[in-house]
Amino acid sequence: LLSWQIDGSAHIVQDDVEILLRPGDVAIVDGRRSMQVAFPNDVCRIVAKLPARAVERRLPGLLRSHSFAFTPKGPLAEVFFS
């Protein structure tokens, strides 16, 4: 799953990984595994289901950690924020 935080914050826990998303942050988590998601306030976010095997081929680190977050920069940020 790809989660793009537009407004507010989200707290995601999957396995031993804790992610705090703030506006502009993006997380990729393994939707096949259990997770906990909490929203302390109102949020606006976009969530997209991605084909897991295709993502794992392109991001092999996901096979070890199952989730990660980042703040887009450069050309990728332009795609997200334009």
Side-chain angles (χ1 to χ4, degrees), residues 9 14-15 27 39 45 49 57 67-68 71-72 77 79:
S9 62
Q14 186 171 55
D15 297 327
F39 308 104
R45 57 203 302 252
K49 183 177 178 183
R57 278 194 306 271
S67 58
F68 70 94
T71 301
V79 170

Side-chain angles (χ1 to χ4, degrees), residues 1 5 9-10 12 18-20 31 33 37 46 51 60 67-68 71 75:
L1 298 174
Q5 195 72 25
S9 62
I12 301 170
E18 293 189 37
I19 298 171
L20 176 61
R33 302 175 66 85
V37 182
I46 296 172
S67 58
F68 70 94
T71 301

Side-chain angles (χ1 to χ4, degrees), residues 6 9-10 22-23 31 33 38 50 55 58 62 65 67 72 75-76 79:
I6 306 295
S9 62
R22 294 187 174 95
R33 302 175 66 85
L50 304 174
V55 172
R58 288 164 179 79
L62 268 181
S65 68
S67 58
L76 181 59
V79 170

Side-chain angles (χ1 to χ4, degrees), residues 42-53:
D42 292 340
V43 298
C44 179
R45 57 203 302 252
I46 296 172
V47 177
K49 183 177 178 183
L50 304 174
R53 297 206 192 292

